[in-house]
Amino acid sequence: MNFQGLNLSAPILRAVTEHGYTTPTPIQQQTIPHLLAKRDIIGCAQTGTGKTAAFAIPILELLSVKKTHNRHIRSLIVTPTRELAIQIAENFKAYGKYLDIRHTAIYGGVPQGRQVSALKNGLDVLITTPGRFLDLLNQGFIDVSRVEIVVLDEADSMLDMGFIKDVKKILATLPARIQTLLFSATMPTEIRTFAKSILQNPVEVSVTPVSSTAKRVTQSVVFVEQHAKTDLLVKVLSDVTIKRSLVFTRTKHGADKLVKQLAKTGIDAAAIHGNKSQNARQKALLDFRNSDIRVLVATDIAARGIDIDELPHVVNYEIPNVPETYVHRIGRTGRAGAAGTAISFCDPTERADLKSIQKLIGFDVPVVSSYR
Ligand code: AMP
């Protein structure tokens, strides 16, 4: 199947083609026709599957086909992190290049002035994180009375981050009958129950079950004491064929500490996590993308939404205690079918977490007993 077969209008097809896409990804093939038919959707898909375009393209199509006189917010996209909000906005910009559909992203951590101006100038699509949305709504800058389509992106992540209450508050402000889409990388019971309470007769779409993604990535685990992990990381990174490495720590503090320790050994690294300013996060990402730094140290939440095409190497400096998180992390390397490498450092206190991960992915991660 190609994009031509999806009943999209010429300006969108042109933009999509110029963007270099020829074939819709499986989530796009499954989602776009139902979205165009105005159905509610519950989608199980991780980032990396093309899920953003799966909702951005048909939303642009629906909004451009049915024009309104005055500009007002007709679609609202709620996403957990600033990075994701920015990335979603980039998608709308790319596919909406030849349309008169205005969008903006609003998120916390930056002054509100520009966001307020954009809202005042009029918008068709608002992409937002929950906190800043409620803040600006309460200040009277946002009118959602004519929203037609709402997307809840990365619902599991919003649940993890404690945003579900805010999301419910947001939904309560919207008109009663609107088209609702919920996307989530995993489908824990809480998300299913929540989805049932808000979606009307939804179509269920799902791609690459979390465990099968893991099979594309070459994985290994090294058993190591906690105190020896930094030395081990320096050894791993001494391999000059590793052009870029994304290193995961569990905590923000741990990420900062590791960057400092690496700097002492001459390895330039940057950390991204929720305590960093928006500018610092964007700069770190840009430096990493441009290969000005080889190593990016990230916490899980900050790493959601990092979209770097050539990322062959991931290090789990600490083993995550939620097994699905492991798959998200290593999935950063195997994007768009590319093969990647993931190495995990497991100290004695993390053995149980490793076991749960192996149960989820359905195989034992090969153990490397010595690392030279
Ligand atoms: P996402 O899952 O939305 O984060 O998208 C993951 C990556 O896939 C992004 O870099 C997109 O630009 C890319 N992508 C999305 N749709 C397609 C497509 N149909 N063909 C090729 N690449 C795509």
Side-chain angles (χ1 to χ4, degrees), residues 253-265 267 269:
H253 174 70
D256 286 335
K257 196 169 136 197
L258 186 57
V259 167
K260 281 189 195 136
Q261 287 170 329
L262 289 175
K264 280 188 196 149
T265 71
I267 297 174

Side-chain angles (χ1 to χ4, degrees), residues 217-220 222 232-248 288 294-298 306 308-317 329-335 338-345 371:
V217 179
T218 308
Q219 297 155 68
S220 59
V222 187
L232 178 62
L233 181 62
V234 173
K235 262 190 210 153
V236 168
L237 295 174
S238 68
D239 177 351
V240 290
T241 64
I242 300 173
K243 294 213 172 65
R244 274 195 203 104
S245 184
L246 180 61
V247 179
F248 284 97
F288 190 56
R294 255 175 94 213
V295 182
L296 190 66
V297 183
I306 294 181
I308 292 163
D309 285 340
E310 284 172 61
L311 177 61
H313 196 259
V314 160
V315 177
N316 291 308
Y317 186 84
R329 287 182 180 184
I330 69 164
R332 325 277 356 153
T333 71
R335 300 183 78 130
T341 307
I343 178 165
S344 301
F345 297 175
Y371 206 96

Side-chain angles (χ1 to χ4, degrees), residues 3 21 23-25 28 46-53 87 307 309 335:
F3 278 99
Y21 301 168
T23 315
T25 66
Q28 291 162 7
Q46 301 178 241
T47 47
T49 56
K51 133 189 99 92
T52 317
Q87 221 165 279
D307 182 14
D309 285 340
R335 300 183 78 130

Side-chain angles (χ1 to χ4, degrees), residues 211-371:
S211 53
S212 68
T213 313
K215 297 203 177 98
R216 289 205 311 269
V217 179
T218 308
Q219 297 155 68
S220 59
V221 60
V222 187
F223 293 117
V224 54
E225 295 293 331
Q226 170 66 35
H227 65 81
K229 284 189 175 184
T230 307
D231 287 345
L232 178 62
L233 181 62
V234 173
K235 262 190 210 153
V236 168
L237 295 174
S238 68
D239 177 351
V240 290
T241 64
I242 300 173
K243 294 213 172 65
R244 274 195 203 104
S245 184
L246 180 61
V247 179
F248 284 97
T249 59
R250 268 192 199 171
T251 64
K252 301 167 193 172
H253 174 70
D256 286 335
K257 196 169 136 197
L258 186 57
V259 167
K260 281 189 195 136
Q261 287 170 329
L262 289 175
K264 280 188 196 149
T265 71
I267 297 174
D268 266 345
I272 64 164
H273 54 65
N275 282 4
K276 296 267 174 190
S277 73
Q278 177 61 12
N279 281 347
R281 285 158 78 165
Q282 288 299 110
K283 179 172 185 318
L285 266 179
L286 200 69
D287 287 349
F288 190 56
R289 253 194 205 130
N290 295 341
S291 301
D292 292 335
I293 49 168
R294 255 175 94 213
V295 182
L296 190 66
V297 183
T299 57
D300 289 299
I301 283 165
R304 281 266 180 128
I306 294 181
D307 182 14
I308 292 163
D309 285 340
E310 284 172 61
L311 177 61
H313 196 259
V314 160
V315 177
N316 291 308
Y317 186 84
E318 276 141 351
I319 305 285
N321 43 13
V322 176
E324 278 88 357
T325 302
Y326 174 83
V327 183
H328 288 313
R329 287 182 180 184
I330 69 164
R332 325 277 356 153
T333 71
R335 300 183 78 130
T341 307
I343 178 165
S344 301
F345 297 175
C346 180
D347 73 31
T349 65
E350 297 172 316
R351 296 273 181 126
D353 292 330
L354 180 66
K355 263 199 175 152
S356 317
I357 289 164
Q358 297 185 146
K359 201 170 153 210
L360 174 76
I361 62 177
F363 57 90
D364 286 354
V365 179
V367 178
V368 178
S369 53
S370 68
Y371 206 96

